[in-house]
Amino acid sequence: MLKVLVVEDEAIIRKGLIYTFDWMSSGCTVIGEAEDGHTGLKMIEELLPDIVIADIRMPGIDGLEMIESASKTHSFCSILL
C-alpha cells in the first residue's frame, strides 16, 4: 500500500479529497491530513508518505516551499493543487 498525506488549508476540499476517492482500490491509504504547510512538513518528516497531495497557496509555508524543504530529507511523489 502506498501511503498518502493530504495537505490542504480548506477543510471542505481536504475532506473531499480524503473521503470521495476510493483509495484502497488504488492501492493507497491516507495516513494523515494537515491544514497548513508547517504541520504538513512536520507530518512528512514523521510519517514518511509515498505521495503528498498539497495545495500551493496556504498560510505560513506554501505547498511549493513545503515540498521543496521535505524533499531534501525524504523521497516522495507530490501532487500540487
Side-chain angles (χ1 to χ4, degrees):
M1 283 278 178
L2 294 172
K3 301 181 291 182
V4 177
L5 175 65
V6 178
V7 185
E8 166 63 61
D9 60 322
E10 294 184 43
I12 194 161
I13 295 173
R14 187 174 64 250
K15 297 298 183 187
L17 288 168
I18 294 169
Y19 295 112
T20 60
F21 184 75
D22 185 3
W23 293 103
M24 295 297 279
S25 69
S26 298
C28 300
T29 184
V30 177
I31 58 169
E33 61 182 281
E35 61 187 25
D36 60 57
H38 290 290
T39 306
L41 182 57
K42 188 182 219 180
M43 291 182 79
I44 291 169
E45 293 168 354
E46 292 173 3
L47 300 175
L48 304 174
D50 299 304
I51 302 169
V52 176
I53 300 174
D55 189 8
I56 292 177
R57 294 187 196 160
M58 292 185 290
I61 299 176
D62 68 30
L64 294 172
E65 291 176 75
M66 179 191 70
I67 296 295
E68 183 179 344
S69 180
S71 65
K72 293 176 184 175
T73 60
H74 176 62
S75 178
F76 56 89
C77 294
S78 57
I79 301 170
L80 295 169
L81 307 173

XYZ file of all heavy atoms in Angstrom:
619
model
N 0.829 -1.191 0.000
C 0.000 0.000 0.000
C 0.876 1.259 0.000
O 1.811 1.359 0.785
C -0.861 0.060 1.260
C -2.039 -0.827 1.290
S -3.378 -0.033 0.395
C -4.574 -1.289 0.548
N 0.532 2.181 -0.854
C 1.199 3.477 -0.864
C 0.568 4.368 0.202
O -0.652 4.394 0.358
C 1.057 4.143 -2.232
C 1.759 3.460 -3.396
C 1.374 4.118 -4.711
C 3.260 3.494 -3.205
N 1.403 5.089 0.930
C 0.924 5.981 1.986
C 0.743 7.384 1.420
O 1.649 7.929 0.793
C 1.910 6.007 3.151
C 2.139 4.639 3.773
C 3.096 4.703 4.934
C 4.488 5.022 4.448
N 5.490 5.057 5.512
N -0.451 7.972 1.669
C -0.800 9.288 1.128
C -1.021 10.275 2.273
O -1.690 9.960 3.262
C -2.085 9.205 0.266
C -2.491 10.578 -0.249
C -1.910 8.222 -0.871
N -0.468 11.478 2.110
C -0.699 12.576 3.051
C -1.366 13.704 2.278
O -0.901 14.078 1.193
C 0.629 13.058 3.642
C 0.560 14.284 4.545
C -0.230 13.986 5.820
C 1.945 14.778 4.889
N -2.459 14.250 2.819
C -3.184 15.349 2.178
C -2.951 16.618 2.996
O -3.231 16.658 4.194
C -4.698 15.038 2.086
C -5.442 16.212 1.466
C -4.938 13.761 1.291
N -2.436 17.665 2.328
C -2.167 18.946 2.981
C -2.945 20.025 2.231
O -2.599 20.382 1.108
C -0.656 19.278 2.987
C -0.402 20.555 3.776
C 0.151 18.117 3.545
N -3.996 20.518 2.844
C -4.903 21.496 2.226
C -5.498 22.359 3.324
O -5.989 21.826 4.325
C -5.993 20.756 1.453
C -7.177 21.564 1.021
C -6.852 22.677 0.045
O -6.365 22.393 -1.054
O -7.106 23.845 0.403
N -5.464 23.685 3.158
C -5.965 24.580 4.207
C -7.483 24.690 4.238
O -8.051 25.027 5.268
C -5.317 25.963 4.113
C -5.593 26.658 2.795
O -5.618 25.983 1.754
O -5.756 27.892 2.802
N -8.163 24.402 3.136
C -9.619 24.469 3.129
C -10.189 23.099 3.502
O -10.020 22.125 2.770
C -10.121 24.911 1.767
C -9.701 26.344 1.441
C -10.264 26.824 0.130
O -11.463 26.566 -0.128
O -9.507 27.445 -0.631
N -10.867 23.057 4.639
C -11.354 21.792 5.204
C -12.257 21.020 4.242
O -12.130 19.799 4.126
C -12.079 22.041 6.520
N -13.147 21.706 3.555
C -14.086 21.008 2.676
C -13.348 20.321 1.515
O -13.709 19.214 1.112
C -15.207 21.947 2.164
C -16.331 21.122 1.546
C -14.674 22.979 1.204
C -17.636 21.853 1.432
N -12.314 20.951 1.000
C -11.529 20.344 -0.082
C -10.692 19.190 0.467
O -10.622 18.117 -0.140
C -10.641 21.395 -0.769
C -11.521 22.435 -1.463
C -9.687 20.740 -1.767
C -10.772 23.612 -2.022
N -10.079 19.409 1.623
C -9.262 18.354 2.245
C -10.099 17.114 2.521
O -9.723 16.001 2.159
C -8.635 18.890 3.535
C -7.649 17.955 4.178
C -6.950 18.585 5.381
N -7.860 18.906 6.464
C -8.193 20.139 6.825
N -7.682 21.190 6.214
N -9.034 20.344 7.826
N -11.252 17.292 3.136
C -12.134 16.151 3.440
C -12.659 15.512 2.158
O -12.784 14.290 2.079
C -13.303 16.590 4.328
C -12.882 17.100 5.697
C -12.185 16.052 6.514
C -11.857 16.581 7.893
N -11.037 15.688 8.672
N -12.940 16.338 1.152
C -13.404 15.807 -0.130
C -12.367 14.908 -0.776
O -12.692 13.845 -1.303
N -11.109 15.340 -0.753
C -10.038 14.519 -1.318
C -9.902 13.197 -0.575
O -9.640 12.156 -1.185
C -8.701 15.271 -1.240
C -8.528 16.436 -2.204
C -7.308 17.261 -1.817
C -8.403 15.930 -3.630
N -10.089 13.232 0.712
C -9.912 12.023 1.527
C -11.087 11.060 1.386
O -10.891 9.849 1.245
C -9.700 12.406 3.010
C -8.366 13.157 3.153
C -9.737 11.178 3.910
C -8.171 13.815 4.513
N -12.311 11.590 1.409
C -13.473 10.714 1.516
C -14.239 10.450 0.216
O -15.103 9.577 0.198
C -14.442 11.269 2.559
C -13.835 11.258 3.939
C -13.517 12.451 4.589
C -13.542 10.066 4.582
C -12.930 12.441 5.848
C -12.956 10.049 5.836
C -12.654 11.234 6.464
O -12.081 11.230 7.710
N -13.938 11.145 -0.873
C -14.697 10.888 -2.104
C -13.961 10.008 -3.099
O -14.505 9.667 -4.139
C -15.088 12.205 -2.817
O -13.906 12.919 -3.156
C -15.985 13.050 -1.946
N -12.741 9.638 -2.795
C -11.962 8.776 -3.677
C -11.739 7.445 -2.989
O -11.471 7.396 -1.797
C -10.614 9.449 -4.008
C -9.786 8.682 -4.986
C -10.105 8.675 -6.334
C -8.697 7.947 -4.566
C -9.341 7.967 -7.248
C -7.925 7.227 -5.469
C -8.249 7.242 -6.809
N -11.847 6.351 -3.752
C -11.639 5.007 -3.205
C -10.142 4.698 -3.203
O -9.613 4.117 -4.150
C -12.420 3.988 -4.020
C -12.351 2.588 -3.432
O -11.743 2.410 -2.343
O -12.896 1.667 -4.065
N -9.466 5.129 -2.157
C -8.022 4.964 -2.045
C -7.607 3.496 -2.008
O -6.605 3.121 -2.611
C -7.497 5.692 -0.798
C -7.636 7.164 -0.904
C -8.581 7.958 -0.303
C -6.827 8.058 -1.674
N -8.414 9.272 -0.657
C -7.335 9.359 -1.503
C -5.732 7.874 -2.510
C -6.770 10.468 -2.121
C -5.165 8.978 -3.130
C -5.691 10.253 -2.930
N -8.347 2.671 -1.312
C -7.994 1.255 -1.159
C -7.947 0.534 -2.504
O -7.044 -0.260 -2.743
C -8.978 0.558 -0.218
C -8.935 1.059 1.209
S -7.359 0.787 2.012
C -7.556 -0.913 2.482
N -8.905 0.813 -3.385
C -8.914 0.130 -4.680
C -7.748 0.576 -5.560
O -7.406 -0.098 -6.528
C -10.238 0.347 -5.409
O -10.357 1.690 -5.827
N -7.136 1.676 -5.216
C -5.965 2.177 -5.953
C -4.654 1.772 -5.303
O -3.588 2.230 -5.712
C -6.028 3.703 -6.058
O -7.162 4.094 -6.780
N -4.741 0.965 -4.253
C -3.533 0.511 -3.577
C -2.921 1.552 -2.660
O -1.722 1.536 -2.413
N -3.757 2.470 -2.177
C -3.278 3.555 -1.317
C -4.069 3.603 -0.016
O -5.192 3.122 0.065
C -3.443 4.902 -2.010
S -2.541 5.066 -3.553
N -3.460 4.224 0.977
C -4.151 4.511 2.219
C -3.751 5.905 2.684
O -2.578 6.280 2.589
C -3.847 3.456 3.303
O -4.620 3.736 4.457
C -2.389 3.417 3.675
N -4.728 6.690 3.119
C -4.442 8.033 3.618
C -3.962 7.898 5.061
O -4.683 7.412 5.921
C -5.690 8.940 3.534
C -5.389 10.308 4.132
C -6.148 9.080 2.086
N -2.729 8.320 5.304
C -2.136 8.175 6.633
C -2.237 9.444 7.469
O -1.947 9.417 8.655
C -0.658 7.744 6.542
C 0.155 8.744 5.732
C -0.550 6.334 5.984
C 1.650 8.553 5.815
N -2.662 10.539 6.837
C -2.792 11.767 7.608
C -3.263 12.924 6.764
O -3.336 12.847 5.535
N -3.600 14.003 7.470
C -4.035 15.232 6.821
C -3.522 16.413 7.633
O -3.360 16.321 8.854
C -5.554 15.281 6.706
C -6.279 15.242 8.038
C -7.784 15.249 7.883
O -8.347 16.338 7.646
O -8.376 14.164 8.010
N -3.236 17.498 6.934
C -2.739 18.708 7.598
C -3.424 19.918 6.983
O -3.785 19.910 5.808
C -1.233 18.812 7.441
N -3.588 20.961 7.794
C -4.288 22.155 7.330
C -3.361 23.314 6.981
O -3.833 24.371 6.574
C -5.318 22.601 8.357
C -4.731 22.958 9.695
C -5.802 23.234 10.737
O -6.919 22.720 10.608
O -5.490 23.969 11.677
N -2.061 23.134 7.124
C -1.117 24.180 6.730
C 0.246 23.566 6.419
O 0.504 22.406 6.714
C -0.992 25.255 7.813
C -0.501 24.720 9.145
O 0.592 24.122 9.180
O -1.201 24.902 10.155
N 1.110 24.372 5.809
C 2.408 23.889 5.380
C 3.335 23.489 6.514
O 4.104 22.536 6.386
N 3.275 24.219 7.632
C 4.133 23.872 8.775
C 3.792 22.489 9.312
O 4.676 21.656 9.525
C 3.993 24.914 9.903
C 4.575 26.241 9.576
N 5.927 26.460 9.470
C 3.987 27.427 9.310
C 6.152 27.721 9.167
N 4.987 28.337 9.054
N 2.513 22.244 9.514
C 2.068 20.941 10.007
C 2.341 19.858 8.977
O 2.773 18.754 9.313
C 0.562 20.978 10.350
O 0.318 22.056 11.255
C 0.098 19.678 10.971
N 2.119 20.180 7.699
C 2.387 19.218 6.634
C 3.849 18.805 6.591
O 4.160 17.623 6.462
N 4.744 19.768 6.735
C 6.179 19.476 6.724
C 6.552 18.555 7.882
O 7.272 17.576 7.711
C 6.974 20.776 6.796
C 8.496 20.664 6.744
C 8.951 19.942 5.494
C 9.117 22.046 6.837
N 6.012 18.850 9.037
C 6.266 18.022 10.221
C 5.744 16.603 10.016
O 6.419 15.623 10.336
C 5.597 18.666 11.439
C 5.918 18.031 12.747
C 5.146 18.753 13.838
C 5.981 18.909 15.072
N 5.273 19.598 16.140
N 4.547 16.483 9.430
C 3.951 15.161 9.200
C 4.717 14.370 8.137
O 4.849 13.154 8.250
C 2.479 15.299 8.828
C 1.628 15.789 9.984
S -0.114 15.888 9.569
C -0.556 14.165 9.723
N 5.239 15.052 7.120
C 6.046 14.364 6.114
C 7.269 13.754 6.773
O 7.621 12.600 6.530
C 6.460 15.322 4.974
C 5.246 15.724 4.145
C 7.527 14.671 4.084
C 5.496 16.859 3.161
N 7.919 14.531 7.634
C 9.123 14.056 8.319
C 8.824 12.893 9.272
O 9.629 11.988 9.420
C 9.778 15.205 9.071
C 10.341 16.261 8.135
C 10.743 17.548 8.843
O 10.484 17.692 10.059
O 11.319 18.417 8.166
N 7.653 12.913 9.905
C 7.293 11.869 10.866
C 6.708 10.627 10.210
O 7.034 9.502 10.585
C 6.287 12.416 11.880
C 6.859 13.457 12.814
C 5.807 14.101 13.700
O 4.617 13.698 13.638
O 6.169 15.017 14.456
N 5.816 10.803 9.221
C 5.062 9.686 8.658
C 5.700 9.081 7.403
O 5.340 7.974 7.006
C 3.633 10.136 8.338
C 2.815 10.651 9.530
C 1.465 11.177 9.047
C 2.637 9.571 10.573
N 6.601 9.810 6.759
C 7.297 9.345 5.555
C 6.331 8.811 4.483
O 6.385 7.642 4.096
C 8.341 8.285 5.909
C 9.379 8.696 6.949
C 10.259 7.518 7.302
C 10.190 9.876 6.461
N 5.445 9.669 3.978
C 4.481 9.220 2.971
C 5.148 8.938 1.625
O 6.246 9.419 1.334
C 3.532 10.417 2.854
C 4.385 11.590 3.191
C 5.316 11.098 4.267
N 4.467 8.154 0.797
C 4.922 7.888 -0.565
C 4.405 8.962 -1.522
O 5.047 9.268 -2.519
C 4.417 6.521 -1.037
C 4.933 5.396 -0.164
O 6.170 5.281 -0.023
O 4.107 4.653 0.398
N 3.219 9.506 -1.205
C 2.582 10.536 -2.034
C 2.096 11.668 -1.126
O 1.473 11.400 -0.097
C 1.373 9.965 -2.812
C 1.800 8.791 -3.689
C 0.685 11.054 -3.636
C 0.641 8.011 -4.288
N 2.375 12.907 -1.529
C 1.865 14.070 -0.810
C 1.007 14.869 -1.780
O 1.470 15.265 -2.851
C 3.007 14.961 -0.272
C 2.443 16.220 0.377
C 3.869 14.194 0.718
N -0.258 15.087 -1.405
C -1.162 15.926 -2.184
C -1.267 17.243 -1.426
O -1.673 17.251 -0.259
C -2.550 15.279 -2.332
C -2.420 13.927 -3.030
C -3.490 16.208 -3.095
C -3.713 13.137 -3.108
N -0.876 18.347 -2.073
C -0.809 19.620 -1.360
C -1.358 20.769 -2.188
O -1.200 20.812 -3.408
C 0.631 19.918 -0.967
N -1.956 21.710 -1.493
C -2.386 22.965 -2.079
C -1.141 23.834 -2.255
O -0.215 23.773 -1.445
C -3.378 23.637 -1.128
C -4.050 24.852 -1.737
O -3.873 25.111 -2.939
O -4.754 25.554 -0.991
N -1.109 24.638 -3.306
C 0.039 25.530 -3.494
C -0.052 26.714 -2.536
O 0.903 27.039 -1.847
C 0.131 26.021 -4.955
C 0.493 24.850 -5.862
C 1.169 27.135 -5.085
C 0.550 25.191 -7.334
N -1.213 27.343 -2.449
C -1.384 28.529 -1.607
C -1.969 28.153 -0.256
O -3.123 27.740 -0.156
C -2.301 29.535 -2.278
C -1.721 30.120 -3.522
C -2.601 31.220 -4.038
N -2.246 31.509 -5.416
C -3.033 32.123 -6.251
N -4.224 32.531 -5.867
N -2.635 32.354 -7.479
N -1.141 28.290 0.766
C -1.575 28.025 2.145
C -0.921 29.057 3.046
O 0.123 29.615 2.705
C -1.143 26.620 2.594
C -1.835 25.499 1.888
S -1.383 23.882 2.548
C 0.314 23.728 2.008
N -1.509 29.296 4.217
C -0.882 30.232 5.150
C 0.451 29.689 5.671
O 0.653 28.484 5.759
C -1.905 30.356 6.287
C -2.907 29.289 6.089
C -2.764 28.768 4.702
N 1.347 30.603 6.008
C 2.656 30.187 6.515
C 3.520 29.716 5.374
O 3.830 30.467 4.457
N 3.896 28.469 5.376
C 4.682 27.872 4.297
C 3.714 27.426 3.207
O 2.766 26.690 3.485
C 5.476 26.643 4.804
C 6.457 27.043 5.894
C 6.203 25.968 3.666
C 7.194 25.860 6.503
N 3.951 27.859 1.967
C 3.064 27.396 0.894
C 3.462 25.983 0.460
O 4.493 25.453 0.895
C 3.041 28.377 -0.279
C 4.342 28.477 -1.053
O 5.088 27.481 -1.123
O 4.609 29.554 -1.619
N 2.638 25.378 -0.377
C 2.859 23.996 -0.777
C 4.180 23.764 -1.492
O 4.839 22.742 -1.284
N 4.589 24.715 -2.326
C 5.857 24.569 -3.048
C 7.045 24.568 -2.095
O 7.944 23.739 -2.219
C 6.009 25.691 -4.078
C 4.999 25.673 -5.228
C 5.126 26.943 -6.064
C 5.181 24.452 -6.089
N 7.042 25.490 -1.135
C 8.128 25.542 -0.148
C 8.152 24.274 0.704
O 9.225 23.745 0.999
C 7.957 26.753 0.768
C 8.173 28.085 0.109
C 7.898 29.210 1.072
O 8.744 29.454 1.968
O 6.826 29.839 0.944
N 6.974 23.807 1.101
C 6.875 22.610 1.919
C 7.454 21.401 1.183
O 8.276 20.662 1.731
C 5.412 22.338 2.294
C 5.206 21.104 3.134
S 3.467 20.644 3.279
C 3.116 20.069 1.619
N 7.055 21.220 -0.083
C 7.542 20.098 -0.887
C 9.051 20.202 -1.087
O 9.780 19.214 -0.937
C 6.817 20.048 -2.258
C 5.322 19.774 -2.077
C 7.467 19.030 -3.187
C 4.962 18.442 -1.496
N 9.528 21.396 -1.414
C 10.961 21.593 -1.645
C 11.771 21.271 -0.389
O 12.779 20.570 -0.447
C 11.226 23.035 -2.071
C 12.679 23.307 -2.393
C 12.921 24.742 -2.828
O 11.956 25.442 -3.175
O 14.094 25.143 -2.812
N 11.318 21.750 0.751
C 12.022 21.509 2.008
C 12.003 20.029 2.388
O 13.028 19.465 2.764
C 11.396 22.353 3.117
O 12.041 22.152 4.323
N 10.844 19.403 2.289
C 10.708 17.997 2.683
C 11.477 17.064 1.752
O 11.999 16.034 2.194
C 9.240 17.602 2.722
N 11.568 17.429 0.475
C 12.238 16.544 -0.485
C 13.752 16.482 -0.271
O 14.417 15.613 -0.827
C 11.918 16.961 -1.915
O 12.440 18.240 -2.188
N 14.290 17.361 0.538
C 15.719 17.322 0.857
C 16.063 16.144 1.767
O 17.187 15.674 1.771
C 16.151 18.630 1.512
C 16.097 19.820 0.589
C 16.434 21.090 1.297
C 16.273 22.278 0.358
N 16.474 23.552 1.060
N 15.082 15.673 2.550
C 15.336 14.596 3.502
C 14.550 13.319 3.222
O 14.846 12.287 3.807
C 15.014 15.054 4.941
O 13.633 15.436 5.005
C 15.894 16.219 5.355
N 13.526 13.389 2.368
C 12.667 12.232 2.130
C 12.226 12.228 0.673
O 11.847 13.254 0.129
C 11.445 12.290 3.060
C 10.451 11.204 2.839
N 10.758 9.868 3.007
C 9.157 11.231 2.452
C 9.690 9.135 2.738
N 8.718 9.948 2.399
N 12.240 11.056 0.058
C 11.822 10.917 -1.335
C 10.340 10.529 -1.383
O 9.919 9.580 -0.743
C 12.664 9.845 -2.005
O 12.253 9.660 -3.322
N 9.559 11.282 -2.174
C 8.130 11.011 -2.315
C 7.648 11.668 -3.604
O 8.303 12.550 -4.158
C 7.333 11.539 -1.119
C 7.527 13.012 -0.848
C 6.729 13.952 -1.443
C 8.540 13.431 0.001
C 6.928 15.307 -1.203
C 8.749 14.770 0.262
C 7.944 15.715 -0.358
N 6.488 11.238 -4.075
C 5.832 11.879 -5.218
C 4.908 12.957 -4.683
O 4.350 12.825 -3.598
C 5.011 10.861 -6.011
S 6.022 9.609 -6.795
N 4.748 14.028 -5.437
C 3.864 15.097 -4.979
C 2.864 15.466 -6.062
O 3.169 15.413 -7.257
C 4.674 16.323 -4.565
O 5.483 16.772 -5.620
N 1.672 15.827 -5.616
C 0.615 16.322 -6.473
C 0.220 17.680 -5.916
O -0.183 17.771 -4.744
C -0.607 15.374 -6.498
C -0.188 14.001 -6.993
C -1.728 15.971 -7.325
C -1.250 12.931 -6.838
N 0.383 18.724 -6.721
C 0.073 20.069 -6.255
C -1.245 20.541 -6.840
O -1.498 20.384 -8.036
C 1.197 21.038 -6.628
C 2.516 20.746 -5.933
C 3.637 21.556 -6.552
C 2.409 21.045 -4.460
N -2.086 21.111 -5.987
C -3.399 21.607 -6.396
C -3.354 23.117 -6.584
O -2.735 23.812 -5.835
C -4.456 21.271 -5.338
C -4.534 19.808 -4.923
C -5.485 19.661 -3.764
C -4.997 18.969 -6.089
